[in-house]
Amino acid sequence: MSENQGTIAANEGAFGASVVAKRKGMWGVKDTGDTTGFTGNEETAVVAPASPRPYGGWFDEVVDIIIELAQTDGYAESEVIEKVSVDRGQLVIFIKRERLLDVARYLRDDQDLRFEMCLGVSAVHYPMDVDRELHAYFPLFSITHNRMIALEVTCPEDDPHMPSLCPVYPGDDWPEREAFDLMGIIFDGHPGLTRSALPDDWVGHPQRKDYPLGGVPVEYKGAVIPPPDTRREYN
């Protein structure tokens, strides 16, 4: 385990303060190859920790209704919700990936929730967030109550699966295809999970942080990329 991984594991605990990366320089450069002038830059990437009760305002009501509906379906709270985070006025509920569709249906259908819109999905890759490297972030909006929340779901790189929200929110079709294309998350149950931008036979997912930079052949007319051994190597 690297020093950074050890720090992250120590800080995580039971989904507490989540330090997912520590970087120096512009791109995490480890030697003197950084010519950007930002060698003194230091950055810590953090996923907000679990928030204590009360969450404030209507946030408690939303979480309580989800828990009540889950228990009605025979699930304990711990089987559905990993943690609840309130940060900068935003309610984010971390959901177990196995229960994502259930929670989405609760949020859409319950009269006191009525989150009728899913505004797509954003995917993030945290290579040092061990066993939870891939994060999917689903913002939801209630037209009825004029409220916005978000669901966040994680999965490991070696099992990058989670349910598609298309059966509940059909408009998530193309955003999930993009997240699959660029980040490699496989949305089970998607009606047509194919790449949205890159060719079907493209190898890898270019927005992952371990994806190689440069030296990758492209298929566009007139584009020329020098071989990797003739380009500057930062690390």
Side-chain angles (χ1 to χ4, degrees):
M1 179 181 290
S2 70
E3 180 180 351
N4 276 347
Q5 286 175 316
T7 302
I8 291 168
N11 287 343
E12 273 289 334
F15 301 104
S18 303
V19 178
V20 292
K22 290 189 175 183
R23 294 184 289 270
K24 292 185 177 181
M26 177 63 83
W27 295 295
V29 176
K30 303 179 182 67
D31 57 23
T32 58
D34 187 349
T35 60
T36 65
F38 289 89
T39 53
N41 182 60
E42 295 188 6
E43 180 182 3
T44 300
V46 178
V47 175
S51 299
R53 292 269 198 167
Y55 305 129
W58 50 267
F59 292 171
D60 291 271
E61 177 189 3
V62 169
V63 175
D64 288 340
I65 292 173
I66 292 173
I67 293 171
E68 179 182 351
L69 293 172
Q71 290 173 341
T72 300
D73 285 343
Y75 303 118
E77 177 182 348
S78 60
E79 295 178 287
V80 178
I81 297 177
E82 287 186 351
K83 70 176 180 180
V84 177
S85 174
V86 178
D87 185 43
R88 299 173 179 86
Q90 172 77 53
L91 173 64
V92 182
I93 307 172
F94 285 70
I95 301 296
K96 299 276 191 180
R97 58 176 169 169
E98 298 83 2
R99 302 274 72 86
L100 176 59
L101 272 179
D102 296 306
V103 172
R105 289 191 181 99
Y106 303 156
L107 290 167
R108 183 194 64 182
D109 297 341
D110 185 84
Q111 64 181 359
D112 295 318
L113 297 176
R114 289 283 190 252
F115 285 89
E116 301 97 340
M117 294 182 63
C118 178
L119 306 178
V121 56
S122 299
V124 186
H125 181 213
Y126 296 116
M128 290 180 286
D129 195 9
V130 179
D131 295 329
R132 300 188 297 132
E133 293 90 354
L134 296 170
H135 290 230
Y137 180 92
F138 301 90
L140 304 175
F141 180 65
S142 169
I143 301 171
T144 301
H145 301 293
N146 191 24
R147 296 171 173 176
M148 178 169 280
I149 66 169
L151 303 180
E152 189 155 341
V153 182
T154 68
C155 60
E157 288 177 330
D158 57 3
D159 182 25
H161 290 261
M162 65 180 63
S164 168
L165 282 191
C166 287
V168 181
Y169 297 107
D172 221 38
D173 187 326
W174 275 79
E176 289 181 6
R177 284 184 59 194
E178 183 178 46
F180 162 71
D181 189 5
L182 301 179
M183 203 67 71
I185 297 177
I186 299 171
F187 294 93
D188 297 323
H190 190 283
L193 194 63
T194 57
R195 290 188 181 272
S196 63
L198 296 171
D200 290 338
D201 59 353
W202 191 272
V203 178
H205 304 281
Q207 283 192 344
R208 287 198 184 186
K209 292 185 173 65
D210 54 2
Y211 189 80
L213 297 176
V216 179
V218 296
E219 300 181 1
Y220 304 104
K221 184 177 179 180
V224 178
I225 298 180
D229 58 355
T230 66
R231 303 175 71 251
R232 177 184 292 276
E233 172 58 56
Y234 281 96
N235 290 316

